[in-house]
Amino acid sequence: MALLAPGGAQAAGTLDQQQTVDNRSVDAGGPFGASYAQIFTAGLTGSLDQVDVLLAKVAGTTAAFTVQIQAVSGGVPSGSVLGTTTVSAASVPDSSTGAGWITIPIGPVAVTAGTQYAIVLLFAPDPAA
């Protein structure tokens, strides 16, 4: 996840924090799998400008998916969307070649150090399926 600090103190794409553990499930009910959320605590105050996620798709998947940054309430995504973007299936590697890290520009979304937010991936059924 990358942050841009107020006043331009950091360049766009400055790394705030990372998690490299691969904790995905494979084909959990859809062309990409189920929808997922990852809760994080912002380490810096500023503007979130991108997230990187590890993904793979079932070969032949054509449906785009949505990535949102949501506020967190009670330890779960609140549904209050702070930023959103759509990602084409073409940018995601096929599961036959393995998962790959995808950089997703989003926002900028204002975040405050010490506050929890959620990265939410929403997958619609693939019309090609």
Side-chain angles (χ1 to χ4, degrees):
M1 154 176 40
L3 287 175
L4 177 62
Q10 297 169 320
T14 299
L15 183 65
D16 175 34
Q17 58 186 278
Q18 66 183 354
Q19 174 182 341
T20 57
V21 176
D22 178 0
N23 60 1
R24 67 196 149 98
S25 64
V26 177
D27 197 21
F32 286 89
S35 296
Y36 294 97
Q38 174 70 50
I39 294 174
F40 67 95
T41 302
L44 299 172
T45 295
S47 296
L48 179 68
D49 66 354
Q50 73 184 48
V51 295
D52 296 319
V53 294
L54 182 64
L55 290 175
K57 67 180 176 192
V58 173
T61 298
T62 61
F65 64 96
T66 302
V67 178
Q68 297 178 340
I69 302 300
Q70 291 188 14
V72 171
S73 178
V76 298
S78 69
S80 175
V81 178
L82 306 173
T84 188
T85 192
T86 301
V87 180
S88 74
S91 64
V92 180
D94 285 342
S95 59
S96 62
T97 59
W101 287 98
I102 308 300
T103 297
I104 302 168
I106 192 165
V109 175
V111 295
T112 303
T115 302
Q116 287 190 322
Y117 301 91
I119 303 167
V120 180
L121 281 64
L122 303 169
F123 302 104
D126 195 321

